[in-house]
Amino acid sequence: MKRTLQLALFLCLSIPAISQSYKDHYAKAVELQNELKLEESESEFSKAIFYDRYNPLPYYNRGVVRLRLYDFVGAIEDFNKAIEYEHPVIVFPIVNRGTIWMQFGEYENAFSDFDEAISIDSTFYLAYSNRGHLRFKLHDIEGALEDYEKSIYLNPGYAKPYIDRGAIKSDKGDLNGALEDYELALQIDPDMAEAYSNRGNIKKRKGDFEGALKDYDLAIEIDSFFADAFYNKGVLYASQNKFEDAIVEYSKAIKLNPFDAKSYVNRGVCKARKSPPDYFESILDFSKAIELEPSNPWHHNNIGYTRANLGDFESSIPDFTRAIELDPTYYIAYRNRGKSLIQMNKIEEACQDFSKAIELGGEDSIDLKKEYCSGR
């Protein structure tokens, strides 16, 4: 099965008088785009632009392709051109530009684009759907639900908000409700990779590992560029202690989306847990996660824990300390720093860390304090 790029289906730009050369390259580009031959499609759209550089259509679609190739800067440039050359301004490239801002973490710019699109066309369901996704990322669950419901009301035949609403139900523990939304999405679009991948997650949580694996493979069959399906497959293998298999899947996810920190983290954990462990490779993965998300305390704790496993207790201390600086309530980092301090014979400092970990709810530090801090 092949999946046509959804964003390309929403395009309704005006088409000026065009040359035959433009028509040939543009038609070839669309054909390649629909076959998910993205690099070749990008090249053909560029050739079409050469023959008609004021036409918004190839800029928009090349932007869609670049978005799928994670060339966010190039995609924004193309959407800006599509907006500049289309009169009156239409909302498709504005919404897609907002989606890229969201990927960059530029949430204010993303909100601005989604709100602008809605102000231009208050019936544009895609703008509500994408703004809902942004609100979900920012933990505004009620706002996200409101946008998803609005999108579904405006276009009940658009599958994406059903998937996103299902994700909220899943987070709330309503697995059957989430499953129902994913099934609705698949009734609308049987070739929607994300719906299969998310349905696989629900099956995994219900203990149906075989069914989950089948759904992940279906998602990959539909869209071999869908990184989340490989990631979810890796999580499934890791949950079964099949760490080598999980590493393979996480590596595929990273190749498709090198900006996703969680894939590096999970691959690093698997490298540390496989037999024999490869702690040095784990450190490389955790370091990449820190590069992508420097303010995430979990990543700093992970790299410190791995250094401690290598016996480099002194080097682990700054990592645990940084995790604590980023989240002073992170009791696991206090516990781990305390364990490294014990190995360095800094008993007094270690006991202070164990006490702090217990104060923050880390009951697993109680036995450590009893063992090392008697009378302190």
Side-chain angles (χ1 to χ4, degrees), residues 20 69 92 108 146 173 181 214 241 243 274 354 376:
Q20 188 60 48
L69 290 170
F92 299 98
E108 187 174 344
E146 181 181 336
D181 271 343
K214 286 180 180 177
N241 294 329
F243 299 119
K274 73 184 184 72
F354 294 148
R376 294 178 186 271

Side-chain angles (χ1 to χ4, degrees), residues 200-337:
N201 290 341
I202 299 299
K203 289 180 178 179
K204 174 180 173 290
R205 290 175 66 180
K206 285 175 168 284
D208 181 8
F209 297 134
E210 183 178 350
L213 186 59
K214 286 180 180 177
D215 271 349
Y216 298 147
D217 285 338
L218 273 171
I220 292 166
E221 181 183 345
I222 291 166
D223 185 353
S224 59
F225 287 83
F226 188 49
D228 281 358
F230 293 102
Y231 172 83
N232 290 334
K233 196 173 176 181
V235 172
L236 177 64
Y237 283 136
S239 72
Q240 299 174 309
N241 294 329
K242 298 178 180 179
F243 299 119
E244 295 286 3
D245 290 335
I247 289 168
V248 170
E249 300 304 325
Y250 290 137
S251 297
K252 292 175 183 176
I254 287 167
K255 184 176 181 180
L256 291 168
N257 184 4
F259 304 102
D260 185 17
K262 69 180 185 294
S263 293
Y264 291 99
V265 169
N266 284 19
R267 188 174 70 175
V269 169
C270 287
K271 288 175 178 177
R273 295 185 64 191
K274 73 184 184 72
S275 182
D278 191 340
Y279 293 125
F280 291 105
E281 283 291 322
S282 291
I283 287 174
L284 291 176
D285 275 343
F286 296 145
S287 297
K288 184 63 179 181
I290 289 172
E291 178 186 328
L292 292 167
E293 295 179 349
S295 61
N296 189 321
W298 185 35
H299 305 335
H300 295 275
N301 177 74
N302 280 340
I303 201 167
Y305 187 79
T306 308
R307 293 191 204 279
N309 280 334
L310 284 167
D312 190 359
F313 302 108
E314 186 172 355
S315 293
S316 75
I317 299 299
D319 295 312
F320 295 134
T321 300
R322 182 57 181 153
I324 291 166
E325 289 172 349
L326 291 166
D327 183 0
T329 68
Y330 192 19
Y331 68 83
I332 294 173
Y334 284 103
R335 180 200 66 197
N336 289 342
R337 188 173 69 177

Side-chain angles (χ1 to χ4, degrees), residues 43-59:
S43 176
E44 290 298 319
F45 280 129
S46 296
K47 292 173 184 175
I49 288 168
F50 175 81
Y51 287 103
D52 190 351
R53 64 190 181 93
Y54 296 110
N55 188 335
L57 193 62
Y59 287 107

Side-chain angles (χ1 to χ4, degrees), residues 18 20-21 29 91 103 123 136 142 191 238 281 284 341 346:
I18 48 180
Q20 188 60 48
S21 295
V91 293
Q103 292 279 349
T123 68
F136 179 72
E142 294 307 314
D191 285 349
E281 283 291 322
L284 291 176
L341 289 167
K346 296 184 178 182

Side-chain angles (χ1 to χ4, degrees), residues 177-211:
L179 195 59
E180 181 181 350
D181 271 343
Y182 299 145
E183 296 287 358
L184 285 169
L186 287 170
Q187 288 175 24
I188 295 167
D189 184 356
D191 285 349
M192 197 164 195
E194 186 179 5
Y196 284 107
S197 184
N198 285 18
R199 190 177 72 175
N201 290 341
I202 299 299
K203 289 180 178 179
K204 174 180 173 290
R205 290 175 66 180
K206 285 175 168 284
D208 181 8
F209 297 134
E210 183 178 350

Side-chain angles (χ1 to χ4, degrees), residues 107-123:
Y107 299 136
E108 187 174 344
N109 286 337
F111 266 122
S112 177
D113 275 345
F114 297 145
D115 289 344
E116 181 183 355
I118 290 169
S119 72
I120 295 170
D121 183 357
S122 62
T123 68

